[in-house]
Amino acid sequence: MTSFDTSPQLNVWRALLALAVVFVMLATTGWTALRNQKNTTALQTSLSAWEDGRIAGQRLPDPDAAPATLSRFFTSLTAQQRGALARRYPLAVGNMNGAPVELRYRANRIALVQARKVELKRMHDSRLSPDGQRAAGHRMHRFEALMSDKRKILAFDPEGSGRVAEVFGNLNKAERISIVVPGVDTDLLTFQRTYRKYSAPVGMAKSLYAAEKAASPSTRTAVIAWADYTAPGGLGLDSATAMRAESGAVRLNALVRALPGVSTVSLFCHSYGSVVCGVAAHELPERVADIAVAGSPGMRVANASQLHTTAQVWAMRDADDWIQDVPYLELGGLGHGADPVSSAFGARVLSAADAKGHSGYFEPGTESLLNFAEIGVGAYRSVHCAKDDEACRAGLSGTMAG
């Protein structure tokens, strides 16, 4: 729900919840099922080519194999062979959990160059409407921005509204890794904004990375802006159900399990992103130490214990966040359950002082960002609780590094 800062849309939620019974009836007919595209995507084409490929006379491994299996395969290759695979199958390698992160960055840069050429051609395609040509231009400029040698693109898929993930810091050397999981209206074009930049994944992640450095300069950190799932567009049926969250949770777990090393991981989940994190929680590996949610519509459970995770669960909400007026319930698949900042939920409730409404939790200088940064570096004793007590810090040490 990244793009919504005011409350008129809440009437939409209430109407959707009132239509729960109708929704369930329609669901049984398949009316609400996603229309799977029959066209082969560029990523699918790259994966198919990989499956038929060989290196040094040997067949390539299953691209869906366990990350450890794929990691061993890439380790067995020479640098020249790894580079050849990135050039031949850029989208496959760039999105392959288990491939070395530096190789993924290189492969995705190649894939972005190819995607830019496609959009450049579409900009001048007379068969497209002027709006279609302008849309191609917007995508072309976004791809150009992502192509910079300074950017570390960990995942990229140009299909449809697109998916992307970017790294700030050094994943291989990090002691602590933070993952920002954004909400609705997140795609390639909204991945980064100039206006209201801290409401977009890149701005959120860069702000958190800087705040973590300030909180603990000696702790080696990395932050991932993770828009590598198909988020709901606006406040509609998709955002009121867990359908997008369920597919996103699979992708989020795959990412975490493929991260290099043994560094501690913290998730920072905003708005509908907290639904993704809630659905993913029970399968997260133990290296995930924290799940922190902000502006959450619910995590698909009645209380934190039902998440079945070993991670600490943190929650915050700004006093001016319109999300507080969303009905915190789940009925017929609509709605996302209990309020994570309620005392009954059982999360560690943090202060969000100075946050700027629903989309301002990552604004520099806010207590919400400072709390996120302290969690990100493991400085639990330094966080500020929502109330003037130490309830949210109870039972936690202040270990700085994972």
mmCIF file of all heavy atoms in Angstrom, residues 114-165:
data_model
loop_
_atom_site.group_PDB
_atom_site.id
_atom_site.type_symbol
_atom_site.label_atom_id
_atom_site.label_comp_id
_atom_site.label_asym_id
_atom_site.label_seq_id
_atom_site.Cartn_x
_atom_site.Cartn_y
_atom_site.Cartn_z
ATOM 1 N N GLN A 114 19.700 -5.771 -23.060
ATOM 2 C CA GLN A 114 18.817 -6.389 -24.044
ATOM 3 C C GLN A 114 17.387 -5.875 -23.912
ATOM 4 O O GLN A 114 16.716 -5.588 -24.913
ATOM 5 C CB GLN A 114 18.858 -7.909 -23.887
ATOM 6 C CG GLN A 114 20.218 -8.514 -24.204
ATOM 7 C CD GLN A 114 20.275 -10.015 -23.941
ATOM 8 O OE1 GLN A 114 19.370 -10.601 -23.347
ATOM 9 N NE2 GLN A 114 21.360 -10.648 -24.368
ATOM 10 N N ALA A 115 16.916 -5.729 -22.676
ATOM 11 C CA ALA A 115 15.557 -5.238 -22.454
ATOM 12 C C ALA A 115 15.426 -3.790 -22.910
ATOM 13 O O ALA A 115 14.371 -3.387 -23.438
ATOM 14 C CB ALA A 115 15.199 -5.368 -20.975
ATOM 15 N N ARG A 116 16.460 -3.000 -22.704
ATOM 16 C CA ARG A 116 16.427 -1.611 -23.160
ATOM 17 C C ARG A 116 16.284 -1.546 -24.680
ATOM 18 O O ARG A 116 15.523 -0.717 -25.216
ATOM 19 C CB ARG A 116 17.703 -0.892 -22.726
ATOM 20 C CG ARG A 116 17.774 0.550 -23.200
ATOM 21 C CD ARG A 116 19.157 1.147 -22.983
ATOM 22 N NE ARG A 116 19.242 2.496 -23.526
ATOM 23 C CZ ARG A 116 19.464 2.780 -24.817
ATOM 24 N NH1 ARG A 116 19.622 1.781 -25.692
ATOM 25 N NH2 ARG A 116 19.521 4.033 -25.224
ATOM 26 N N LYS A 117 16.985 -2.408 -25.403
ATOM 27 C CA LYS A 117 16.892 -2.421 -26.865
ATOM 28 C C LYS A 117 15.470 -2.731 -27.321
ATOM 29 O O LYS A 117 14.973 -2.143 -28.294
ATOM 30 C CB LYS A 117 17.872 -3.452 -27.442
ATOM 31 C CG LYS A 117 19.330 -3.050 -27.326
ATOM 32 C CD LYS A 117 20.240 -4.131 -27.909
ATOM 33 C CE LYS A 117 21.706 -3.737 -27.782
ATOM 34 N NZ LYS A 117 22.603 -4.824 -28.295
ATOM 35 N N VAL A 118 14.813 -3.645 -26.615
ATOM 36 C CA VAL A 118 13.430 -3.996 -26.953
ATOM 37 C C VAL A 118 12.517 -2.773 -26.802
ATOM 38 O O VAL A 118 11.703 -2.468 -27.684
ATOM 39 C CB VAL A 118 12.929 -5.148 -26.057
ATOM 40 C CG1 VAL A 118 11.423 -5.364 -26.242
ATOM 41 C CG2 VAL A 118 13.681 -6.429 -26.365
ATOM 42 N N GLU A 119 12.658 -2.063 -25.692
ATOM 43 C CA GLU A 119 11.793 -0.905 -25.454
ATOM 44 C C GLU A 119 12.134 0.251 -26.386
ATOM 45 O O GLU A 119 11.243 1.000 -26.802
ATOM 46 C CB GLU A 119 11.903 -0.461 -23.999
ATOM 47 C CG GLU A 119 11.448 -1.499 -22.992
ATOM 48 C CD GLU A 119 10.019 -1.982 -23.238
ATOM 49 O OE1 GLU A 119 9.178 -1.198 -23.726
ATOM 50 O OE2 GLU A 119 9.745 -3.172 -22.940
ATOM 51 N N LEU A 120 13.404 0.411 -26.716
ATOM 52 C CA LEU A 120 13.807 1.453 -27.656
ATOM 53 C C LEU A 120 13.143 1.228 -29.017
ATOM 54 O O LEU A 120 12.677 2.177 -29.668
ATOM 55 C CB LEU A 120 15.325 1.467 -27.800
ATOM 56 C CG LEU A 120 15.930 2.584 -28.657
ATOM 57 C CD1 LEU A 120 15.589 3.953 -28.077
ATOM 58 C CD2 LEU A 120 17.449 2.420 -28.763
ATOM 59 N N LYS A 121 13.075 -0.027 -29.429
ATOM 60 C CA LYS A 121 12.413 -0.364 -30.683
ATOM 61 C C LYS A 121 10.912 -0.107 -30.597
ATOM 62 O O LYS A 121 10.298 0.423 -31.522
ATOM 63 C CB LYS A 121 12.692 -1.835 -31.026
ATOM 64 C CG LYS A 121 12.159 -2.262 -32.374
ATOM 65 C CD LYS A 121 12.567 -3.711 -32.683
ATOM 66 C CE LYS A 121 12.046 -4.133 -34.053
ATOM 67 N NZ LYS A 121 12.450 -5.541 -34.352
ATOM 68 N N ARG A 122 10.313 -0.443 -29.451
ATOM 69 C CA ARG A 122 8.877 -0.248 -29.276
ATOM 70 C C ARG A 122 8.514 1.239 -29.238
ATOM 71 O O ARG A 122 7.407 1.625 -29.609
ATOM 72 C CB ARG A 122 8.408 -0.933 -27.995
ATOM 73 C CG ARG A 122 8.506 -2.453 -28.046
ATOM 74 C CD ARG A 122 8.029 -3.107 -26.763
ATOM 75 N NE ARG A 122 6.574 -3.007 -26.616
ATOM 76 C CZ ARG A 122 5.949 -2.318 -25.683
ATOM 77 N NH1 ARG A 122 6.640 -1.643 -24.784
ATOM 78 N NH2 ARG A 122 4.637 -2.306 -25.633
ATOM 79 N N MET A 123 9.427 2.077 -28.792
ATOM 80 C CA MET A 123 9.168 3.513 -28.754
ATOM 81 C C MET A 123 8.859 4.075 -30.141
ATOM 82 O O MET A 123 8.134 5.065 -30.266
ATOM 83 C CB MET A 123 10.388 4.254 -28.191
ATOM 84 C CG MET A 123 10.552 4.156 -26.692
ATOM 85 S SD MET A 123 12.103 4.935 -26.157
ATOM 86 C CE MET A 123 11.858 6.634 -26.704
ATOM 87 N N HIS A 124 9.411 3.428 -31.163
ATOM 88 C CA HIS A 124 9.239 3.913 -32.532
ATOM 89 C C HIS A 124 8.382 2.968 -33.378
ATOM 90 O O HIS A 124 8.389 3.047 -34.608
ATOM 91 C CB HIS A 124 10.617 4.098 -33.179
ATOM 92 C CG HIS A 124 11.524 5.006 -32.403
ATOM 93 N ND1 HIS A 124 11.344 6.373 -32.346
ATOM 94 C CD2 HIS A 124 12.600 4.738 -31.613
ATOM 95 C CE1 HIS A 124 12.271 6.912 -31.579
ATOM 96 N NE2 HIS A 124 13.046 5.936 -31.111
ATOM 97 N N ASP A 125 7.652 2.084 -32.702
ATOM 98 C CA ASP A 125 6.797 1.115 -33.395
ATOM 99 C C ASP A 125 5.467 1.784 -33.733
ATOM 100 O O ASP A 125 4.676 2.116 -32.837
ATOM 101 C CB ASP A 125 6.574 -0.105 -32.495
ATOM 102 C CG ASP A 125 5.897 -1.253 -33.227
ATOM 103 O OD1 ASP A 125 5.220 -1.003 -34.248
ATOM 104 O OD2 ASP A 125 6.023 -2.405 -32.762
ATOM 105 N N SER A 126 5.209 1.978 -35.007
ATOM 106 C CA SER A 126 3.994 2.675 -35.446
ATOM 107 C C SER A 126 2.717 1.893 -35.133
ATOM 108 O O SER A 126 1.618 2.455 -35.164
ATOM 109 C CB SER A 126 4.064 2.964 -36.948
ATOM 110 O OG SER A 126 4.178 1.739 -37.681
ATOM 111 N N ARG A 127 2.860 0.621 -34.817
ATOM 112 C CA ARG A 127 1.678 -0.174 -34.474
ATOM 113 C C ARG A 127 1.182 0.126 -33.064
ATOM 114 O O ARG A 127 0.053 -0.218 -32.705
ATOM 115 C CB ARG A 127 1.997 -1.667 -34.596
ATOM 116 C CG ARG A 127 2.293 -2.117 -36.036
ATOM 117 C CD ARG A 127 2.835 -3.536 -36.058
ATOM 118 N NE ARG A 127 4.131 -3.621 -35.355
ATOM 119 C CZ ARG A 127 4.814 -4.744 -35.212
ATOM 120 N NH1 ARG A 127 4.337 -5.879 -35.731
ATOM 121 N NH2 ARG A 127 5.976 -4.741 -34.582
ATOM 122 N N LEU A 128 2.039 0.758 -32.248
ATOM 123 C CA LEU A 128 1.642 1.122 -30.895
ATOM 124 C C LEU A 128 0.976 2.488 -30.887
ATOM 125 O O LEU A 128 1.301 3.361 -31.695
ATOM 126 C CB LEU A 128 2.860 1.154 -29.969
ATOM 127 C CG LEU A 128 3.561 -0.172 -29.683
ATOM 128 C CD1 LEU A 128 4.750 0.064 -28.757
ATOM 129 C CD2 LEU A 128 2.606 -1.171 -29.055
ATOM 130 N N SER A 129 0.067 2.671 -29.958
ATOM 131 C CA SER A 129 -0.557 3.979 -29.764
ATOM 132 C C SER A 129 0.474 4.939 -29.183
ATOM 133 O O SER A 129 1.512 4.504 -28.651
ATOM 134 C CB SER A 129 -1.740 3.855 -28.810
ATOM 135 O OG SER A 129 -1.285 3.529 -27.502
ATOM 136 N N PRO A 130 0.213 6.247 -29.232
ATOM 137 C CA PRO A 130 1.141 7.198 -28.588
ATOM 138 C C PRO A 130 1.353 6.877 -27.112
ATOM 139 O O PRO A 130 2.474 7.000 -26.606
ATOM 140 C CB PRO A 130 0.441 8.548 -28.779
ATOM 141 C CG PRO A 130 -0.340 8.373 -30.050
ATOM 142 C CD PRO A 130 -0.819 6.950 -30.010
ATOM 143 N N ASP A 131 0.288 6.447 -26.419
ATOM 144 C CA ASP A 131 0.435 6.066 -25.011
ATOM 145 C C ASP A 131 1.347 4.856 -24.863
ATOM 146 O O ASP A 131 2.156 4.782 -23.944
ATOM 147 C CB ASP A 131 -0.936 5.766 -24.391
ATOM 148 C CG ASP A 131 -1.724 7.028 -24.087
ATOM 149 O OD1 ASP A 131 -1.116 8.128 -24.098
ATOM 150 O OD2 ASP A 131 -2.942 6.923 -23.855
ATOM 151 N N GLY A 132 1.194 3.903 -25.780
ATOM 152 C CA GLY A 132 2.041 2.713 -25.754
ATOM 153 C C GLY A 132 3.496 3.056 -26.006
ATOM 154 O O GLY A 132 4.398 2.490 -25.372
ATOM 155 N N GLN A 133 3.739 3.978 -26.922
ATOM 156 C CA GLN A 133 5.111 4.394 -27.204
ATOM 157 C C GLN A 133 5.717 5.128 -26.011
ATOM 158 O O GLN A 133 6.890 4.939 -25.687
ATOM 159 C CB GLN A 133 5.128 5.284 -28.446
ATOM 160 C CG GLN A 133 4.799 4.526 -29.724
ATOM 161 C CD GLN A 133 4.703 5.444 -30.931
ATOM 162 O OE1 GLN A 133 4.456 6.651 -30.790
ATOM 163 N NE2 GLN A 133 4.903 4.889 -32.115
ATOM 164 N N ARG A 134 4.904 5.968 -25.348
ATOM 165 C CA ARG A 134 5.392 6.670 -24.167
ATOM 166 C C ARG A 134 5.701 5.696 -23.028
ATOM 167 O O ARG A 134 6.695 5.853 -22.317
ATOM 168 C CB ARG A 134 4.370 7.714 -23.712
ATOM 169 C CG ARG A 134 4.428 9.020 -24.497
ATOM 170 C CD ARG A 134 3.590 10.094 -23.825
ATOM 171 N NE ARG A 134 2.181 9.803 -23.910
ATOM 172 C CZ ARG A 134 1.382 10.164 -24.916
ATOM 173 N NH1 ARG A 134 1.896 10.827 -25.948
ATOM 174 N NH2 ARG A 134 0.100 9.866 -24.909
ATOM 175 N N ALA A 135 4.838 4.682 -22.885
ATOM 176 C CA ALA A 135 5.084 3.674 -21.847
ATOM 177 C C ALA A 135 6.396 2.936 -22.115
ATOM 178 O O ALA A 135 7.165 2.657 -21.192
ATOM 179 C CB ALA A 135 3.920 2.685 -21.792
ATOM 180 N N ALA A 136 6.663 2.646 -23.392
ATOM 181 C CA ALA A 136 7.921 2.000 -23.756
ATOM 182 C C ALA A 136 9.099 2.907 -23.414
ATOM 183 O O ALA A 136 10.146 2.449 -22.946
ATOM 184 C CB ALA A 136 7.932 1.657 -25.242
ATOM 185 N N GLY A 137 8.920 4.210 -23.606
ATOM 186 C CA GLY A 137 9.962 5.164 -23.271
ATOM 187 C C GLY A 137 10.246 5.198 -21.779
ATOM 188 O O GLY A 137 11.414 5.261 -21.360
ATOM 189 N N HIS A 138 9.188 5.148 -20.971
ATOM 190 C CA HIS A 138 9.369 5.122 -19.518
ATOM 191 C C HIS A 138 10.161 3.888 -19.095
ATOM 192 O O HIS A 138 11.068 3.965 -18.257
ATOM 193 C CB HIS A 138 8.007 5.141 -18.814
ATOM 194 C CG HIS A 138 7.292 6.451 -18.911
ATOM 195 N ND1 HIS A 138 7.929 7.654 -18.769
ATOM 196 C CD2 HIS A 138 5.980 6.736 -19.137
ATOM 197 C CE1 HIS A 138 7.055 8.643 -18.900
ATOM 198 N NE2 HIS A 138 5.872 8.114 -19.131
ATOM 199 N N ARG A 139 9.806 2.737 -19.665
ATOM 200 C CA ARG A 139 10.502 1.505 -19.314
ATOM 201 C C ARG A 139 11.964 1.557 -19.779
ATOM 202 O O ARG A 139 12.867 1.129 -19.063
ATOM 203 C CB ARG A 139 9.782 0.300 -19.939
ATOM 204 C CG ARG A 139 8.480 -0.027 -19.240
ATOM 205 C CD ARG A 139 7.664 -1.060 -20.028
ATOM 206 N NE ARG A 139 8.339 -2.324 -20.189
ATOM 207 C CZ ARG A 139 8.285 -3.328 -19.314
ATOM 208 N NH1 ARG A 139 7.596 -3.193 -18.193
ATOM 209 N NH2 ARG A 139 8.907 -4.465 -19.554
ATOM 210 N N MET A 140 12.175 2.102 -20.972
ATOM 211 C CA MET A 140 13.536 2.203 -21.499
ATOM 212 C C MET A 140 14.418 3.040 -20.570
ATOM 213 O O MET A 140 15.553 2.663 -20.257
ATOM 214 C CB MET A 140 13.506 2.817 -22.895
ATOM 215 C CG MET A 140 14.837 2.751 -23.632
ATOM 216 S SD MET A 140 15.908 4.186 -23.335
ATOM 217 C CE MET A 140 15.033 5.447 -24.251
ATOM 218 N N HIS A 141 13.875 4.159 -20.091
ATOM 219 C CA HIS A 141 14.659 5.012 -19.197
ATOM 220 C C HIS A 141 14.895 4.342 -17.835
ATOM 221 O O HIS A 141 15.953 4.526 -17.225
ATOM 222 C CB HIS A 141 13.963 6.360 -19.024
ATOM 223 C CG HIS A 141 14.014 7.228 -20.251
ATOM 224 N ND1 HIS A 141 15.199 7.606 -20.839
ATOM 225 C CD2 HIS A 141 13.027 7.774 -21.009
ATOM 226 C CE1 HIS A 141 14.951 8.358 -21.906
ATOM 227 N NE2 HIS A 141 13.640 8.471 -22.032
ATOM 228 N N ARG A 142 13.924 3.578 -17.359
ATOM 229 C CA ARG A 142 14.128 2.845 -16.106
ATOM 230 C C ARG A 142 15.241 1.828 -16.270
ATOM 231 O O ARG A 142 16.111 1.685 -15.406
ATOM 232 C CB ARG A 142 12.835 2.151 -15.682
ATOM 233 C CG ARG A 142 12.980 1.157 -14.531
ATOM 234 C CD ARG A 142 13.496 1.805 -13.245
ATOM 235 N NE ARG A 142 12.510 2.674 -12.654
ATOM 236 C CZ ARG A 142 12.766 3.903 -12.205
ATOM 237 N NH1 ARG A 142 13.989 4.400 -12.287
ATOM 238 N NH2 ARG A 142 11.807 4.641 -11.680
ATOM 239 N N PHE A 143 15.236 1.088 -17.402
ATOM 240 C CA PHE A 143 16.285 0.102 -17.636
ATOM 241 C C PHE A 143 17.648 0.776 -17.720
ATOM 242 O O PHE A 143 18.643 0.254 -17.197
ATOM 243 C CB PHE A 143 16.006 -0.684 -18.913
ATOM 244 C CG PHE A 143 14.744 -1.513 -18.862
ATOM 245 C CD1 PHE A 143 14.107 -1.912 -20.024
ATOM 246 C CD2 PHE A 143 14.183 -1.879 -17.647
ATOM 247 C CE1 PHE A 143 12.953 -2.673 -19.979
ATOM 248 C CE2 PHE A 143 13.019 -2.639 -17.593
ATOM 249 C CZ PHE A 143 12.404 -3.037 -18.764
ATOM 250 N N GLU A 144 17.704 1.939 -18.364
ATOM 251 C CA GLU A 144 18.971 2.672 -18.452
ATOM 252 C C GLU A 144 19.509 3.011 -17.067
ATOM 253 O O GLU A 144 20.701 2.884 -16.795
ATOM 254 C CB GLU A 144 18.781 3.965 -19.260
ATOM 255 C CG GLU A 144 18.785 3.768 -20.760
ATOM 256 C CD GLU A 144 18.728 5.093 -21.496
ATOM 257 O OE1 GLU A 144 18.365 6.126 -20.866
ATOM 258 O OE2 GLU A 144 19.029 5.110 -22.700
ATOM 259 N N ALA A 145 18.609 3.462 -16.195
ATOM 260 C CA ALA A 145 19.026 3.823 -14.840
ATOM 261 C C ALA A 145 19.571 2.617 -14.083
ATOM 262 O O ALA A 145 20.555 2.720 -13.338
ATOM 263 C CB ALA A 145 17.860 4.444 -14.082
ATOM 264 N N LEU A 146 18.951 1.454 -14.284
ATOM 265 C CA LEU A 146 19.372 0.245 -13.584
ATOM 266 C C LEU A 146 20.662 -0.339 -14.149
ATOM 267 O O LEU A 146 21.323 -1.149 -13.493
ATOM 268 C CB LEU A 146 18.265 -0.811 -13.649
ATOM 269 C CG LEU A 146 16.961 -0.497 -12.905
ATOM 270 C CD1 LEU A 146 15.890 -1.534 -13.231
ATOM 271 C CD2 LEU A 146 17.203 -0.437 -11.398
ATOM 272 N N MET A 147 21.037 0.063 -15.367
ATOM 273 C CA MET A 147 22.205 -0.503 -16.045
ATOM 274 C C MET A 147 23.538 0.031 -15.526
ATOM 275 O O MET A 147 24.592 -0.505 -15.866
ATOM 276 C CB MET A 147 22.127 -0.214 -17.554
ATOM 277 C CG MET A 147 21.200 -1.120 -18.321
ATOM 278 S SD MET A 147 20.773 -0.438 -19.959
ATOM 279 C CE MET A 147 22.362 0.098 -20.576
ATOM 280 N N SER A 148 23.508 1.078 -14.722
ATOM 281 C CA SER A 148 24.747 1.689 -14.250
ATOM 282 C C SER A 148 25.680 0.650 -13.623
ATOM 283 O O SER A 148 25.252 -0.252 -12.903
ATOM 284 C CB SER A 148 24.429 2.777 -13.220
ATOM 285 O OG SER A 148 25.591 3.159 -12.515
ATOM 286 N N ASP A 149 26.982 0.800 -13.890
ATOM 287 C CA ASP A 149 27.969 -0.133 -13.341
ATOM 288 C C ASP A 149 28.001 -0.107 -11.819
ATOM 289 O O ASP A 149 28.439 -1.060 -11.178
ATOM 290 C CB ASP A 149 29.367 0.206 -13.871
ATOM 291 C CG ASP A 149 29.535 -0.168 -15.333
ATOM 292 O OD1 ASP A 149 28.709 -0.959 -15.829
ATOM 293 O OD2 ASP A 149 30.474 0.333 -15.968
ATOM 294 N N LYS A 150 27.546 1.000 -11.219
ATOM 295 C CA LYS A 150 27.571 1.135 -9.766
ATOM 296 C C LYS A 150 26.438 0.379 -9.084
ATOM 297 O O LYS A 150 26.466 0.167 -7.874
ATOM 298 C CB LYS A 150 27.501 2.610 -9.381
ATOM 299 C CG LYS A 150 28.697 3.433 -9.836
ATOM 300 C CD LYS A 150 28.554 4.881 -9.410
ATOM 301 C CE LYS A 150 29.741 5.711 -9.875
ATOM 302 N NZ LYS A 150 29.592 7.136 -9.473
ATOM 303 N N ARG A 151 25.426 -0.034 -9.867
ATOM 304 C CA ARG A 151 24.259 -0.667 -9.260
ATOM 305 C C ARG A 151 24.408 -2.182 -9.268
ATOM 306 O O ARG A 151 24.949 -2.774 -10.211
ATOM 307 C CB ARG A 151 22.978 -0.220 -9.973
ATOM 308 C CG ARG A 151 22.846 1.297 -9.965
ATOM 309 C CD ARG A 151 21.517 1.786 -10.442
ATOM 310 N NE ARG A 151 20.450 1.525 -9.487
ATOM 311 C CZ ARG A 151 19.247 2.101 -9.556
ATOM 312 N NH1 ARG A 151 18.973 2.969 -10.522
ATOM 313 N NH2 ARG A 151 18.320 1.825 -8.659
ATOM 314 N N LYS A 152 23.916 -2.805 -8.201
ATOM 315 C CA LYS A 152 24.041 -4.251 -8.021
ATOM 316 C C LYS A 152 22.646 -4.863 -8.081
ATOM 317 O O LYS A 152 21.947 -4.970 -7.073
ATOM 318 C CB LYS A 152 24.704 -4.562 -6.673
ATOM 319 C CG LYS A 152 26.082 -3.926 -6.505
ATOM 320 C CD LYS A 152 26.601 -4.113 -5.088
ATOM 321 C CE LYS A 152 27.948 -3.457 -4.889
ATOM 322 N NZ LYS A 152 28.430 -3.591 -3.491
ATOM 323 N N ILE A 153 22.252 -5.270 -9.287
ATOM 324 C CA ILE A 153 20.904 -5.792 -9.510
ATOM 325 C C ILE A 153 20.926 -7.310 -9.300
ATOM 326 O O ILE A 153 21.510 -8.051 -10.079
ATOM 327 C CB ILE A 153 20.397 -5.425 -10.916
ATOM 328 C CG1 ILE A 153 20.500 -3.911 -11.135
ATOM 329 C CG2 ILE A 153 18.971 -5.907 -11.094
ATOM 330 C CD1 ILE A 153 19.757 -3.080 -10.106
ATOM 331 N N LEU A 154 20.274 -7.739 -8.237
ATOM 332 C CA LEU A 154 20.300 -9.150 -7.843
ATOM 333 C C LEU A 154 19.242 -9.968 -8.557
ATOM 334 O O LEU A 154 19.375 -11.193 -8.676
ATOM 335 C CB LEU A 154 20.099 -9.249 -6.326
ATOM 336 C CG LEU A 154 20.229 -10.622 -5.680
ATOM 337 C CD1 LEU A 154 21.664 -11.142 -5.805
ATOM 338 C CD2 LEU A 154 19.815 -10.563 -4.218
ATOM 339 N N ALA A 155 18.183 -9.333 -9.034
ATOM 340 C CA ALA A 155 17.126 -10.030 -9.760
ATOM 341 C C ALA A 155 16.481 -9.040 -10.717
ATOM 342 O O ALA A 155 16.369 -7.848 -10.415
ATOM 343 C CB ALA A 155 16.072 -10.583 -8.795
ATOM 344 N N PHE A 156 16.064 -9.544 -11.877
ATOM 345 C CA PHE A 156 15.443 -8.680 -12.876
ATOM 346 C C PHE A 156 14.600 -9.518 -13.821
ATOM 347 O O PHE A 156 15.061 -10.515 -14.355
ATOM 348 C CB PHE A 156 16.510 -7.921 -13.676
ATOM 349 C CG PHE A 156 15.976 -7.222 -14.899
ATOM 350 C CD1 PHE A 156 15.075 -6.182 -14.779
ATOM 351 C CD2 PHE A 156 16.359 -7.628 -16.163
ATOM 352 C CE1 PHE A 156 14.569 -5.542 -15.909
ATOM 353 C CE2 PHE A 156 15.872 -7.001 -17.298
ATOM 354 C CZ PHE A 156 14.973 -5.947 -17.173
ATOM 355 N N ASP A 157 13.350 -9.103 -13.997
ATOM 356 C CA ASP A 157 12.454 -9.742 -14.950
ATOM 357 C C ASP A 157 11.623 -8.639 -15.595
ATOM 358 O O ASP A 157 10.830 -7.980 -14.926
ATOM 359 C CB ASP A 157 11.544 -10.749 -14.242
ATOM 360 C CG ASP A 157 10.631 -11.498 -15.214
ATOM 361 O OD1 ASP A 157 10.676 -11.202 -16.434
ATOM 362 O OD2 ASP A 157 9.865 -12.363 -14.759
ATOM 363 N N PRO A 158 11.788 -8.396 -16.900
ATOM 364 C CA PRO A 158 11.085 -7.294 -17.558
ATOM 365 C C PRO A 158 9.633 -7.598 -17.900
ATOM 366 O O PRO A 158 8.908 -6.705 -18.356
ATOM 367 C CB PRO A 158 11.905 -7.090 -18.839
ATOM 368 C CG PRO A 158 12.426 -8.460 -19.163
ATOM 369 C CD PRO A 158 12.710 -9.095 -17.822
ATOM 370 N N GLU A 159 9.182 -8.811 -17.684
ATOM 371 C CA GLU A 159 7.845 -9.211 -18.107
ATOM 372 C C GLU A 159 6.758 -8.434 -17.361
ATOM 373 O O GLU A 159 6.821 -8.253 -16.145
ATOM 374 C CB GLU A 159 7.641 -10.712 -17.885
ATOM 375 C CG GLU A 159 6.290 -11.246 -18.357
ATOM 376 C CD GLU A 159 6.090 -11.131 -19.863
ATOM 377 O OE1 GLU A 159 7.099 -10.983 -20.591
ATOM 378 O OE2 GLU A 159 4.941 -11.192 -20.311
ATOM 379 N N GLY A 160 5.742 -8.008 -18.077
ATOM 380 C CA GLY A 160 4.602 -7.319 -17.470
ATOM 381 C C GLY A 160 5.038 -6.058 -16.744
ATOM 382 O O GLY A 160 5.797 -5.241 -17.283
ATOM 383 N N SER A 161 4.581 -5.891 -15.516
ATOM 384 C CA SER A 161 4.971 -4.717 -14.739
ATOM 385 C C SER A 161 6.392 -4.835 -14.212
ATOM 386 O O SER A 161 6.973 -3.858 -13.754
ATOM 387 C CB SER A 161 4.001 -4.499 -13.568
ATOM 388 O OG SER A 161 3.977 -5.644 -12.726
ATOM 389 N N GLY A 162 6.955 -6.044 -14.281
ATOM 390 C CA GLY A 162 8.368 -6.250 -13.967
ATOM 391 C C GLY A 162 8.654 -6.543 -12.510
ATOM 392 O O GLY A 162 7.876 -6.219 -11.615
ATOM 393 N N ARG A 163 9.794 -7.176 -12.272
ATOM 394 C CA ARG A 163 10.290 -7.466 -10.920
ATOM 395 C C ARG A 163 11.773 -7.125 -10.879
ATOM 396 O O ARG A 163 12.488 -7.278 -11.875
ATOM 397 C CB ARG A 163 10.097 -8.944 -10.560
ATOM 398 C CG ARG A 163 8.646 -9.405 -10.505
ATOM 399 C CD ARG A 163 8.545 -10.762 -9.805
ATOM 400 N NE ARG A 163 9.297 -11.799 -10.481
ATOM 401 C CZ ARG A 163 8.758 -12.736 -11.260
ATOM 402 N NH1 ARG A 163 7.451 -12.760 -11.456
ATOM 403 N NH2 ARG A 163 9.524 -13.659 -11.811
ATOM 404 N N VAL A 164 12.233 -6.700 -9.706
ATOM 405 C CA VAL A 164 13.632 -6.311 -9.596
ATOM 406 C C VAL A 164 14.045 -6.322 -8.125
ATOM 407 O O VAL A 164 13.220 -6.121 -7.230
ATOM 408 C CB VAL A 164 13.863 -4.907 -10.228
ATOM 409 C CG1 VAL A 164 13.052 -3.844 -9.509
ATOM 410 C CG2 VAL A 164 15.334 -4.540 -10.268
ATOM 411 N N ALA A 165 15.320 -6.571 -7.868
ATOM 412 C CA ALA A 165 15.900 -6.477 -6.524
ATOM 413 C C ALA A 165 17.291 -5.881 -6.661
ATOM 414 O O ALA A 165 18.025 -6.202 -7.601
ATOM 415 C CB ALA A 165 15.963 -7.835 -5.848
#
